Amino acid sequence: MKTKQVWRYYCDHCKKSGGSKAAMAKHESICFYNPARVCTFCESMQIEQKPISELMDIFLAEGLAALRKHAENCPACINAAFCQETREIPYGKAWEYDFDYRAESKSIIDDIRAAEYEGVACGGIY
Ligand SMILES: [Zn+2]
Ligand SMILES: [Zn+2]
């Protein structure tokens, strides 16, 4: 019988874990719960990424419409603000907020490499 011990890597910001250090480092850099996440959606849409703390403040003070405007309608930035503000998964709250990350991100994800974004979902839905 062979036994083998392997390292498991855990995201510093959410519950995601995995066996690949490189994949987890990549996830952490774009994790919705990472306050310093790099938004590859903004990058691909060639818009300037706004600090998440700023987005959260605007959402709290002025609501979704203002958040959308400030985030230049980037679904990943809107989603990150939701995730970090509520520590909740916004999918189930779409009816409440009129925001559905999956629906709104689909066309952008289709534009870039879809496979790269599998498993990036917020809050433990993988
Ligand atoms: Zn994470
Ligand atoms: Zn963005």
Side-chain angles (χ1 to χ4, degrees), residues 19-20 26 31 40-41 51 60 62 70 87 95 103 110 112 115 123:
S20 159
K26 187 169 192 180
C31 178
T40 46
F41 279 29
L60 275 187
E62 301 172 55
H70 196 66
R87 303 302 296 178
W95 58 272
D110 286 348
I112 34 188

Side-chain angles (χ1 to χ4, degrees), residues 41-67:
F41 279 29
C42 281
E43 206 177 284
S44 86
M45 293 187 290
Q46 298 185 319
I47 58 178
E48 193 195 327
Q49 184 186 355
K50 309 298 182 302
I52 295 172
S53 59
E54 217 173 277
L55 298 174
M56 285 161 69
D57 287 348
I58 286 172
F59 174 54
L60 275 187
E62 301 172 55
L64 180 67
L67 169 60

Side-chain angles (χ1 to χ4, degrees), residues 11-115:
C11 176
D12 274 346
H13 310 286
C14 76
K15 293 180 200 147
K16 191 172 168 64
S17 68
S20 159
K21 188 177 185 178
M24 196 48 54
K26 187 169 192 180
H27 162 80
E28 274 193 340
S29 74
I30 57 174
C31 178
F32 288 129
Y33 287 102
N34 179 355
R37 73 185 291 278
V38 174
C39 187
T40 46
F41 279 29
C42 281
E43 206 177 284
S44 86
M45 293 187 290
Q46 298 185 319
I47 58 178
E48 193 195 327
Q49 184 186 355
K50 309 298 182 302
I52 295 172
S53 59
E54 217 173 277
L55 298 174
M56 285 161 69
D57 287 348
I58 286 172
F59 174 54
L60 275 187
E62 301 172 55
L64 180 67
L67 169 60
R68 275 189 189 287
K69 196 172 170 213
H70 196 66
E72 295 184 60
N73 233 3
C74 171
C77 283
I78 295 169
N79 198 57
F82 268 119
C83 287
Q84 293 185 34
E85 184 56 51
T86 63
R87 303 302 296 178
E88 279 180 41
I89 304 157
Y91 301 142
K93 296 193 155 216
W95 58 272
E96 198 178 316
Y97 290 121
D98 195 26
F99 172 70
D100 184 335
Y101 173 70
R102 280 185 179 156
E104 298 197 20
S105 63
K106 195 176 178 311
S107 62
I108 300 165
I109 289 175
D110 286 348
D111 278 354
I112 34 188
R113 297 164 302 278

Side-chain angles (χ1 to χ4, degrees), residues 21 71 77 107 118 122 125-126:
K21 188 177 185 178
C77 283
S107 62
E118 281 172 12
C122 173
I125 299 178
Y126 305 115

